[in-house]
Amino acid sequence: MLETEELKKVFKGKTAVNGVNLYMDKGESVGLLGPNGAGKSTTISMISSLIKPTSGDVKLKGQSVLKDPGIIRNVLGVVPQEIALYEELTAYENLKFFGRIYGLKGKELEAKIQEVLEIVGLKERQKEIVKTYSGGMQRRVNMAAAMLHEPELLIMDEPTVGIDPQSRTHILDTVRHLNQEKGLTVLYTSHYMEEVERLCDRVYIMDHGQIIASGTKDELKSILSGEETILIDLDRPYPDLVTDLQSHDGIRQTIETEKGLKLIVPKGSKLLGSIFQVAERHQAQILNVNVKVPTLEDVFLHLTGRKLRD
Amino acid sequence: MGNFLKKDILVLLRDRTELMILLLMPIILIAILSFALRGLLGGETSDFHMDVAFVIEDDEQQGIVEFIADLENTGMPPEVVLELEHAVEEVKPYTMLEQLMESETVSDMVTVAELDFSEAEEALENEDIVAILTIPEDFTYRSLQKMLLNEGDGSDLLITVKDYGSIRTDAFINMIDRYVSTMNFETAISQTLIKLGHEEVLSGSEGENIEAQELGGVESISAREPVTSFQYYTISMAVMFVLFVGSAIASKAYVEKKQHVFNRIILSNQHPIVYLGGKIISASFISFFQLFILFLVSSLVFRTFPLDEPAFWGGIAVIAMILAICVGGFAALLTAVTVKYENDALNHIFAGGIVTLLAFIGGSFFPTSEMPAIIGTMGNWTPNGAALTAFLKWMQELDMNVILPYLLRIAVLSVILIASSILIFPKRRSV
Ligand SMILES: Nc1ncnc2c1ncn2[C@@H]1O[C@H](COP(=O)(O)OP(=O)(O)OP(=O)(O)O)[C@@H](O)[C@H]1O
Ligand SMILES: [Mg+2]
């Protein structure tokens, strides 16, 4: 349905996106992952015809979006990373305005507005002014506005930041439902790995303006098939211990987490004993140890050397 | 478009600060300026009063008889003689002076007593009066000779005052000066017109004023309705503050761009021109309503304009409409620049400087008649100045022909503004 060909964007000598090729089939749900500044939003803006690529093209059903932005605009819904709403208007007034610029009117518009408000769970508070909403509620209206006109392709750029877990689950389930039952094609950018795991069939991982890995969730995880993750909870941080472990033979990566440490080690390596020894040496108190198969988060870490969220 | 208009109005209505600037501030200023600068226009001068004496040595009736008798002896063709005899009826110099003194504006300010010279001198000595105006013998006869036939030296009016340079005497001398220049001016016109063979104008008082504007712009004070300071400042504040709608709308466009709502609109596949058109319509509508509200409130609170004259309000509406479209043009140009460069500096410059400058040149703070002529001329080329003049002239004369040139200027400017905004506005994408 959609593909990009060597998309590139240079902002005043700074390359934000550098030769991105990705595709989406109709009805697919695709995730786009990458750390801050990777170029995700820029890629999305080029796909949705909001900014002009420095080079490369976007093709929708084989036609160039660059030549005729109209073709993608007609089928597209975008949830921007920013809150793109009139702050002084109520949720209802916003949706009414955005619905009408898409040519909806009358009863149909009214029904649609109530439907999307239901999805984002703001039906009761629709007559309140957006400025007075909490950040999470504003995000929800921001999403609702992109779904009014029943787009074939929904692009969401970190749509759930700041939304409480319950509403988030509800929204994700709805998007998943639209994707599976109605054949809505979804491109989803998020920092929440579990969202992408839940929602997306296929994932692109992006860093420094380039796609560094892609495939189904299982394909990506198999990149780390030879590894496992050891989570160690400690009573407090031990910086020296980290340094020691980092130089320890056989441990591929040592990352500090909130609770303690995360180690990536070759599968089947019997390292636990020596890790305990090192910990002993530093008089570190180990509260809990957990050995896991890799997650997408780990894949991401492996590929970029960075955590998704700081 | 209706959708855009509704949204823009809603957004503006929720913005208290902007509403205060657009509606409350002009009303306060109308009140302040009107009270403070009352004297400047001579409209409401009830607290400024003077007594003067006229000493009449002339006999108007006899002067006219003599003049006509002379005419019939000159050997001019009888049509011309007849025409001139008619003309005499229109320009009887003393009658015109009397009318001036009895006119609403002047009679509020000046009380005239007819005295003989010695009585007048005594009154002046006792400071019962501030000035004596002597109308010399043969004043009528000689004035007519000069005015209609350009023969002789005309006649002088003699003003005797006690304390030269006081405000009252100055005002009176001024008034008589203006009367004299009006007479001289009408002399110039009648003679020009006789030369041009344009006889009808001599008898039609309506035609006079139009010609007057073009021939030299000396104001004829006799024919006009006076303008009160409330009227003046209601109009001048309205034409000034209406300009702020332009920058208000454009700064909303800046917010739309900044907060990515503009992107949403573009993504809906609306042509960018529709967006720009929406701004023009919104700004025009809002401007028109703002003008309407200001005129209405001023009329209700200060009784500035009579509310029961549909013809008067019809003309006011036409001028307001054209001015409002011009503000739509300003809004469009400012929006185009703001959205293109994603920078609202120009809005600030416009609201913070350009409007004030336009308002000053256009006579919103002081009537341009009090300023050098060049400013008056320039002022009539600003949209607000041209509208101000059009409003004033409409108020006084209720004649569309008189205000048409001003409306045309505003319309031309609107077209220029809108055309350049279309050229500047980004066509397909934002980058
Ligand atoms: N309009 C712009 N002008 C100049 N540089 C820009 C512009 N937009 C983005 N960039 C730069 O391009 C790079 C990619 O930005 P982009 O917003 O696409 O990243 P992102 O992956 O969406 O990051 P995040 O997760 O923080 O949203 C960044 O280094 C950013 O500074
Ligand atoms: Mg982003």
Side-chain angles (χ1 to χ4, degrees):
Chain A
M1 174 170 183
L2 181 103
E3 62 184 317
T4 69
E5 295 172 351
E6 290 296 323
L7 265 191
K8 184 168 178 173
K9 182 73 198 179
V10 181
F11 289 113
K12 298 178 195 107
K14 188 178 176 308
T15 308
V17 173
N18 195 4
V20 163
N21 293 296
L22 53 79
Y23 74 93
M24 295 171 72
D25 286 331
K26 190 166 174 49
E28 250 195 325
S29 171
V30 176
L32 183 58
L33 288 173
N36 290 142
K40 304 180 298 291
S41 299
T42 309
T43 304
I44 284 177
S45 293
M46 286 190 285
I47 292 175
S48 48
S49 82
L50 277 177
I51 62 178
K52 209 180 186 132
T54 309
S55 64
D57 199 356
V58 178
K59 297 236 163 111
L60 182 79
K61 296 165 187 166
Q63 283 178 285
S64 166
V65 169
L66 211 56
K67 284 209 193 85
D68 181 8
I71 56 169
I72 194 156
R73 288 175 184 176
N74 287 329
V75 300
L76 182 71
V78 178
V79 182
Q81 188 169 359
E82 307 81 15
I83 309 282
L85 298 169
Y86 289 100
E87 288 186 336
E88 307 85 351
L89 304 188
T90 64
Y92 176 81
E93 286 162 349
N94 266 288
L95 293 175
K96 194 154 185 172
F97 172 73
F98 291 121
R100 287 175 72 176
I101 55 175
Y102 278 102
L104 295 169
K105 45 178 159 314
K107 284 217 176 71
E108 191 195 0
L109 174 60
E110 197 60 38
K112 227 35 230 182
I113 292 176
Q114 296 313 322
E115 189 185 322
V116 294
L117 281 169
E118 181 83 65
I119 292 175
V120 299
L122 279 177
K123 229 173 159 171
E124 280 73 44
R125 303 190 59 178
Q126 56 178 294
K127 296 272 149 98
E128 291 172 33
I129 292 189
V130 167
K131 203 161 51 181
T132 66
Y133 284 154
S134 73
M137 289 162 71
Q138 293 180 354
R139 289 238 158 248
R140 280 142 74 177
V141 185
N142 200 34
M143 279 176 87
M147 301 196 280
L148 273 172
H149 59 292
E150 296 188 16
E152 283 176 49
L153 170 61
L154 186 60
I155 298 184
M156 308 167 98
D157 195 350
E158 296 178 36
T160 57
V161 177
I163 301 183
D164 61 77
Q166 238 178 330
S167 319
R168 197 192 308 168
T169 309
H170 177 64
I171 291 168
L172 286 176
D173 286 349
T174 312
V175 173
R176 191 68 180 153
H177 173 82
L178 289 173
N179 169 240
Q180 284 175 343
E181 308 295 316
K182 303 236 170 116
L184 173 72
T185 313
V186 179
L187 178 60
Y188 195 90
T189 301
S190 177
H191 283 174
Y192 294 99
M193 196 57 68
E194 54 291 2
E195 287 184 1
V196 174
E197 293 228 40
R198 187 182 192 118
L199 190 66
C200 303
D201 308 317
R202 235 160 23 85
V203 179
Y204 287 94
I205 296 181
M206 207 176 168
D207 197 14
H208 298 303
Q210 287 176 314
I211 302 285
I212 51 173
S214 66
T216 63
K217 281 180 284 190
D218 290 337
E219 280 169 356
L220 283 176
K221 283 181 196 169
S222 72
I223 296 176
L224 291 187
S225 60
E227 297 175 340
E228 49 191 22
T229 308
I230 302 174
L231 294 175
I232 301 174
D233 294 355
L234 300 168
D235 63 332
R236 63 175 179 85
Y238 295 89
D240 294 347
L241 174 62
V242 176
T243 330
D244 251 17
L245 287 174
Q246 267 164 353
S247 55
H248 193 287
D249 263 357
I251 299 179
R252 296 208 175 136
Q253 258 178 313
T254 306
I255 304 106
E256 281 184 281
T257 64
E258 279 160 39
K259 289 180 174 171
L261 296 173
K262 184 180 204 169
L263 309 177
I264 293 176
V265 299
K267 203 167 195 156
S269 59
K270 311 233 168 356
L271 280 169
L272 273 182
S274 59
I275 290 170
F276 276 120
Q277 278 177 5
V278 179
E280 186 84 348
R281 231 178 22 243
H282 288 275
Q283 292 176 345
Q285 198 179 339
I286 294 175
L287 304 175
N288 191 13
V289 177
N290 207 342
V291 182
K292 288 199 328 179
V293 290
T295 63
L296 271 186
E297 181 104 39
D298 300 325
V299 175
F300 185 82
L301 197 67
H302 172 79
L303 289 171
T304 64
R306 275 183 274 174
K307 282 188 282 182
L308 261 182
R309 276 170 287 157
D310 299 310
Chain B
M1 291 282 192
N3 193 26
F4 281 95
L5 176 62
K6 206 172 142 194
K7 176 261 301 174
D8 282 335
I9 290 178
L10 268 179
V11 169
L12 194 69
L13 284 181
R14 303 260 160 90
D15 187 341
R16 291 252 170 86
T17 326
E18 204 70 79
L19 280 185
M20 299 252 274
I21 293 177
L22 294 181
L23 293 175
L24 201 58
M25 234 161 87
I27 291 176
I28 293 172
L29 280 172
I30 289 167
I32 294 175
L33 289 173
S34 301
F35 280 119
L37 303 178
R38 267 209 255 203
L40 217 53
L41 291 152
E44 286 147 63
T45 37
S46 40
D47 50 344
F48 181 77
H49 197 91
M50 61 189 146
D51 289 288
V52 299
F54 278 16
V55 176
I56 303 165
E57 295 171 349
D58 178 47
D59 182 337
E60 184 171 47
Q61 215 36 55
Q62 198 198 327
I64 291 169
V65 172
E66 274 175 36
F67 177 73
I68 289 176
D70 273 10
L71 268 185
E72 282 161 1
N73 292 334
T74 49
M76 282 192 222
E79 310 92 79
V80 177
V81 171
L82 204 64
E83 204 57 61
L84 285 171
E85 281 174 17
H86 277 298
V88 170
E89 287 304 309
E90 295 296 326
V91 296
K92 291 191 256 185
Y94 179 69
T95 307
M96 284 179 76
L97 180 61
E98 237 178 353
Q99 277 166 1
L100 170 65
M101 291 298 141
E102 281 160 12
S103 74
E104 213 180 307
T105 359
V106 178
S107 66
D108 276 353
M109 204 165 25
V110 185
T111 307
V112 178
E114 266 184 44
L115 304 174
D116 65 39
F117 192 75
S118 56
E119 285 170 337
E121 269 198 313
E122 200 182 317
L124 189 65
E125 205 51 49
N126 295 339
E127 298 188 2
D128 292 336
I129 55 173
V130 298
I132 305 170
L133 180 76
T134 308
I135 293 129
E137 232 182 309
D138 287 341
F139 172 72
T140 302
Y141 176 77
R142 294 218 252 153
S143 302
L144 287 174
Q145 287 264 322
K146 176 72 182 163
M147 284 167 69
L148 297 180
L149 305 173
N150 199 18
E151 280 173 14
D153 300 324
S155 176
D156 290 331
L157 288 168
L158 194 73
I159 302 174
T160 318
V161 297
K162 187 152 185 278
D163 57 4
Y164 194 81
S166 84
I167 298 175
R168 276 157 220 262
T169 40
D170 268 5
F172 183 67
I173 293 171
N174 228 328
M175 201 179 298
I176 298 302
D177 264 359
R178 277 171 81 178
Y179 159 76
V180 171
S181 42
T182 306
M183 297 304 286
N184 291 343
F185 174 55
E186 295 197 354
T187 307
I189 293 174
S190 37
Q191 283 161 7
T192 315
L193 293 174
I194 287 171
K195 278 190 201 120
L196 292 172
H198 225 293
E199 299 142 336
E200 70 182 78
V201 181
L202 271 178
S203 47
S205 62
E206 240 184 349
E208 239 162 48
N209 279 320
I210 304 170
E211 297 296 326
Q213 298 314 316
E214 289 170 359
L215 272 171
V218 177
E219 303 249 328
S220 130
I221 46 175
S222 51
R224 298 282 178 81
E225 278 277 315
V227 178
T228 70
S229 59
F230 274 104
Q231 290 169 334
Y232 189 86
Y233 283 108
T234 297
I235 297 172
S236 68
M237 287 298 116
V239 298
M240 171 182 174
F241 276 82
V242 77
L243 296 176
F244 286 118
V245 174
S247 48
I249 289 291
S251 60
K252 298 289 174 210
Y254 178 67
V255 175
E256 286 179 323
K257 173 80 190 179
K258 194 97 189 137
Q259 300 192 340
H260 302 88
V261 187
F262 179 74
N263 281 349
R264 265 216 164 115
I265 295 169
I266 293 300
L267 280 176
S268 73
N269 213 10
Q270 295 276 359
H271 197 280
I273 294 302
V274 174
Y275 175 82
L276 195 63
K279 291 290 169 207
I280 297 175
I281 290 176
S282 298
S284 304
F285 243 83
I286 292 168
S287 302
F288 185 80
F289 272 104
Q290 184 203 20
L291 291 170
F292 175 77
I293 291 169
L294 291 180
F295 277 90
L296 188 69
V297 169
S298 175
S299 297
L300 290 174
V301 178
F302 308 122
R303 307 201 178 183
T304 308
F305 302 107
L307 285 166
D308 52 356
E309 288 181 21
F312 167 75
W313 287 98
I316 294 288
V318 170
I319 305 169
M321 209 146 71
I322 293 176
L323 179 62
I325 293 171
C326 189
V327 176
F330 276 115
L333 185 60
L334 292 172
T335 299
V337 173
T338 300
V339 169
K340 177 156 183 162
Y341 299 103
E342 211 169 317
N343 187 335
D344 67 344
L346 186 63
N347 288 337
H348 292 303
I349 295 173
F350 183 79
I354 298 177
V355 169
T356 314
L357 192 69
L358 287 174
F360 180 74
I361 302 173
S364 284
F365 301 126
F366 306 103
T368 45
S369 57
E370 309 287 321
M371 296 192 272
I374 174 80
I375 294 186
T377 314
M378 274 162 58
N380 274 334
W381 282 97
T382 62
N384 51 313
L388 173 62
T389 309
F391 276 126
L392 290 173
K393 286 195 184 291
W394 175 255
M395 240 180 68
Q396 294 175 311
E397 297 173 41
L398 287 180
D399 185 345
M400 267 296 153
N401 290 322
V402 176
I403 61 173
L404 214 56
Y406 298 98
L407 297 186
L408 208 63
R409 285 179 198 179
I410 305 173
V412 167
L413 187 69
S414 312
V415 171
I416 295 174
L417 288 169
I418 292 172
S420 41
S421 73
I422 292 172
L423 285 178
I424 292 171
F425 199 68
K427 289 291 147 359
R428 295 205 66 89
R429 294 157 185 273
S430 50
V431 178

